[in-house]
Amino acid sequence: MRRLILCAAIFLSVAAGSGVSLTVLKSSTDDVIGSIELMQSAHDAESRSKALEVLEEKWADYYSKSSFITREQTLEELSADVKRLKLLTGAELDGELTALKERVCLIYDGQFPHISGIL
Amino acid sequence: MLIVFIRAVMLYIVIIFCVRLMGKRQLGELQPSELVVTIMLSNIATLPIEDVNIPLAMGLIPILTIVCLDVFFSYVTMRSGSLRRLLCGSPKVLISDGKLDQNAMRRLRFTVDDLFEALRAQQIFDISEVQLAMVETTGQVSVYLKKEFQPLTLGDIGMKQSGGDPPVVMIEDGVPVKGALRRVGRDGKWLKSVLRREGVTAENVFIMTCDGSGKTTILKKEN
């Protein structure tokens, strides 16, 4: 019976931990997407530079949190893309930001238990 | 390199913990569900060790989930006979009163070689000596010989023996074994007196055993 209780405790902890990790990922994803949108809406160089600082900060936080559940390689590729943003301007920057937003959304979608994802 | 080393150590500890959690049944003959769990665990554990890109949690979560489900299922099957038969199957009779059930052999996909191999492992070379042979759910064949072919026992010739408990290890490499005295119904005083009589101290004893009748065997440590 002791073994059964221990297993029930582990099982519930794993289920709760999985739920919490999804919530944390969602919140970090929203933060990153928010800062990407902020950068997209910035029109002058100064506000864009400030928005980039915020994005890099949010990305560092996102990286440390999502590395527990996402493949390291995927995150490293996205990190390189974030670092490259300061070198881009105009349509190129806008395209890169849109792509980054899409990939961050895909990471969250990959963790969310959709029927298609499970099957 | 270091991350692989640390992950291997962590997963080793987790797997040992999980196998202990599944209980002793897992270490002996495997039931079908236990075999599945064992295969899955060994596969899942190797993935995050080999590929550092995969987060360790992706290995730990399925391992813990599968082990917990296995314990739940074993608890439920312990309570429900019909579920146990569904998941583990039931023992099947292969030989009854020296006669082989060929239909059962076909149903179980048991070859003549498999059967004879199992019988020979139990020192049986003639089917006609077998009263009952059953294939257990683990795939093991249990055999009950006909009365006339069973080995003679003391009971058959009307002899009774008392104190038939097998010997218990009392001292192991100079250290008294916890609970051994209680198992043979003796106390510390008795142990000291036996050691004094043999002219040894517990530290100098490599192995000391005692059976149900109080007969002791002492092997001293070699220098």
Side-chain angles (χ1 to χ4, degrees), chain A residues 20-30 32 58-79 103-109 111, chain B residues 7 52-58:
Chain A
V20 168
S21 76
L22 195 66
T23 316
V24 170
L25 183 67
K26 170 73 178 155
S27 135
S28 298
T29 304
D30 287 347
V32 169
K58 296 284 181 197
W59 177 257
D61 181 53
Y62 176 87
Y63 187 102
S64 63
K65 284 175 181 165
S66 61
S67 62
F68 289 99
I69 49 173
T70 312
R71 286 180 77 94
E72 193 92 3
Q73 205 177 348
T74 313
L75 292 174
E76 278 168 8
E77 283 167 14
L78 289 177
S79 275
R103 290 182 74 181
V104 170
C105 284
L106 281 175
I107 289 176
Y108 175 73
D109 277 351
Q111 295 294 330
Chain B
R7 282 180 170 204
V52 288
N53 274 314
I54 300 173
L56 188 63
M58 295 293 131

Side-chain angles (χ1 to χ4, degrees), chain B residues 22-147:
Chain B
M22 284 190 285
K24 293 214 186 296
R25 260 162 31 108
Q26 192 69 16
L27 302 174
E29 295 290 331
L30 298 177
Q31 295 287 347
S33 59
E34 293 161 349
L35 179 70
V36 170
V37 171
T38 308
I39 292 169
M40 285 178 83
L41 284 193
S42 59
N43 269 324
I44 294 167
T46 52
L47 291 175
I49 293 177
E50 284 175 354
D51 188 352
V52 288
N53 274 314
I54 300 173
L56 188 63
M58 295 293 131
L60 292 178
I61 288 171
I63 287 171
L64 291 173
T65 308
I66 287 168
V67 168
C68 291
L69 286 176
D70 179 66
V71 173
F72 294 150
F73 267 109
S74 58
Y75 181 76
V76 173
T77 52
M78 191 179 77
R79 294 275 169 139
S80 160
S82 51
L83 193 62
R84 186 166 57 242
R85 278 188 290 281
L86 183 73
L87 287 177
C88 306
S90 55
K92 298 279 186 294
V93 175
L94 272 188
I95 302 170
S96 178
D97 198 18
K99 288 190 189 75
L100 185 64
D101 185 344
Q102 293 182 26
N103 285 330
M105 292 266 290
R106 268 192 289 275
R107 274 199 305 276
L108 294 167
R109 280 172 283 125
F110 228 75
T111 65
V112 175
D113 289 340
D114 292 334
L115 177 66
F116 271 85
E117 193 181 311
L119 292 177
R120 283 196 299 271
Q122 300 184 50
Q123 305 297 314
I124 300 160
F125 293 85
D126 189 351
I127 285 183
S128 63
E129 293 178 8
V130 177
Q131 177 66 40
L132 187 72
M134 297 185 84
V135 181
E136 304 295 352
T137 52
T138 57
Q140 207 174 20
V141 178
S142 301
V143 181
Y144 182 77
L145 286 173
K146 286 180 180 171
K147 288 281 182 202

